[in-house]
Amino acid sequence: MALIKMRVLYDSKKKGMAQFAKVIADKYELSVNATSGKFPPEYPCDKERIVILGLSVKGELSDEIRRFCAELNKTRAANVALLVDGDQATADKIAEIIKNAGTNLVGTKVISFGGFLMFGGTLTPELETELVAWVDEMVAGCV
């Protein structure tokens, strides 16, 4: 059973992001439908305590991601933690959209899985440790 009502959503063709989502889902014992690699997700967010949102994006946001983030209000997610595989400027754009939607952005982290599209890097043990600690910190601030 999950320790907290949360979702892990990601949009990336890189293996590392999917591995990250699985690690978090396993650690927090999330149900199968609480993790999604599709946008929009198969199951909408509904009164989530926290949504961990992982995106691989540089430059322009896709319309699906922009619309999804713009709809993350307090009734869908009380808190959002944003993980961006990309650059700081893109992370700032996404963060602004989330804040304007009305939810609480509890944290933003910019990383690089490296590689190109689906040939992107995997989740190294060092990065896994760093990201799990970051998620633990984000979740602890929402309990």
Side-chain angles (χ1 to χ4, degrees):
M1 185 168 160
L3 304 170
I4 184 173
K5 188 166 191 244
M6 69 185 281
R7 306 238 1 216
V8 179
L9 306 175
Y10 65 97
D11 184 51
S12 178
K13 294 188 180 358
K14 295 184 178 180
K15 292 179 204 172
M17 193 66 81
Q19 292 168 329
F20 161 73
K22 181 171 178 3
V23 165
I24 299 305
D26 290 348
K27 175 171 181 168
Y28 284 92
E29 301 174 3
L30 302 180
S31 64
V32 172
N33 65 3
T35 305
S36 178
K38 296 181 182 179
F39 268 78
E42 303 91 335
Y43 300 93
C45 296
D46 182 35
K47 299 177 186 169
E48 306 299 332
R49 187 67 148 163
I50 185 169
V51 171
I52 309 298
L53 185 59
L55 305 170
S56 287
V57 63
K58 288 184 182 176
E60 290 299 313
L61 298 175
S62 72
D63 216 29
E64 291 86 13
I65 292 173
R66 185 188 51 73
R67 277 187 302 206
F68 178 80
C69 292
E71 294 173 357
L72 280 174
N73 57 37
K74 289 276 187 189
T75 60
R76 293 183 184 253
N79 303 285
V80 175
L82 177 63
L83 176 67
V84 176
D85 171 30
D87 56 50
Q88 187 63 50
T90 303
D92 292 343
K93 285 182 204 175
I94 299 167
E96 191 63 33
I97 293 168
I98 292 170
K99 288 177 190 174
N100 288 338
T103 192
N104 182 32
L105 184 65
V106 293
T108 302
K109 187 165 189 66
V110 178
I111 61 161
S112 175
F113 281 113
F116 181 73
L117 296 175
M118 64 210 134
F119 303 109
T122 59
L123 186 64
T124 64
E126 297 81 18
L127 187 55
E128 178 180 332
T129 301
E130 178 184 338
L131 293 178
V132 168
W134 177 74
V135 170
D136 288 346
E137 183 182 330
M138 297 300 104
V139 169
C142 298
V143 180

